[in-house]
Amino acid sequence: MRGIALRLTAFAAIALGATPALAQTSCPGRISANVFAPVPANAAIAVPDRAGGSPSERALREAAVAALAAAGRRVDANAPYILSWRGGTSIEGDNFGGFNDNRSGRTFRESDDITWAQNVPRAGGRTIPTLRVSGTVDLRERATGRVVWTAVLNCNRQGQDDQALFALLARTVAPLIGQPAAGRTF
């Protein structure tokens, strides 16, 4: 009886999404970071607010400020360290512009014999494109302009929620500032 109750509880947790390991992230990916000089854990960090920045830039800045605060970092416009982000998106695997399936053994041929079409995926073998987000984050010393810490991250975007994406990226970066990382998943 106890075994059945445990199985039902486990099933309910999985079915209701209560297990964080099964939760889908807005952009599953990897981050790597390098440290070039020590960064004190209590050092304040500036996150510049560019005049005329896009709404996305402002949203990313807000997410970064919130994530830094959550990670125990003080944010100050005149801090000795300046955090900067660069990045963008690319589309990989998009062939919706036409039939572009040139994989080995998958050529079109004209014939009365339609057996060649068995087990061919619908829509002519087209693939669904992956929206790839890539970025670099630098922490510079204000006094020298020297990069003291840098991180490179990339992920495959899931969904359209920019706020969730920016929050995820900021929460991934903030706790790692000043620490090395090698291909850590998020």
Side-chain angles (χ1 to χ4, degrees):
M1 212 48 185
R2 184 169 185 243
I4 293 172
L6 286 175
R7 280 186 236 139
L8 286 174
T9 303
F11 176 74
I14 290 170
L16 296 174
T19 55
L22 297 176
Q24 184 174 356
T25 177
S26 61
C27 198
R30 294 188 176 276
I31 184 170
S32 294
N34 292 305
V35 180
F36 303 115
V39 178
N42 62 351
I45 296 173
V47 182
D49 188 10
R50 291 184 341 120
S54 71
S56 291
E57 290 173 330
R58 287 190 297 276
L60 178 58
R61 182 187 183 280
E62 290 171 13
V65 168
L68 287 167
R73 293 282 186 170
R74 192 167 44 93
V75 178
D76 181 355
N78 298 315
Y81 295 98
I82 302 169
L83 189 69
S84 64
W85 298 71
R86 292 181 314 280
T89 58
S90 62
I91 298 176
E92 297 177 0
D94 178 19
N95 68 357
F96 282 104
F99 190 85
N100 187 21
D101 191 1
N102 56 7
R103 287 174 279 181
S104 177
R106 303 262 330 249
T107 57
F108 178 81
R109 60 182 184 188
E110 198 172 319
S111 171
D112 289 352
D113 177 15
I114 61 167
T115 58
W116 63 271
Q118 292 177 347
N119 299 321
V120 173
R122 292 179 61 170
R126 292 180 174 177
T127 59
I128 296 173
T130 300
L131 188 58
R132 186 102 169 132
V133 177
S134 301
T136 302
V137 183
D138 292 329
L139 187 69
R140 295 179 182 274
E141 286 180 330
R142 182 181 297 273
T144 65
R146 188 178 109 188
V147 174
V148 294
W149 177 86
T150 189
V152 176
L153 52 91
N154 57 62
C155 60
N156 295 328
R157 177 116 188 226
Q158 310 287 322
Q160 301 295 318
D161 187 353
D162 286 343
Q163 299 298 326
L165 173 66
F166 297 151
L168 171 71
L169 297 177
R171 283 191 319 263
T172 300
V173 168
L176 287 177
I177 291 177
Q179 301 174 31
R184 184 179 294 184
T185 59
F186 62 90

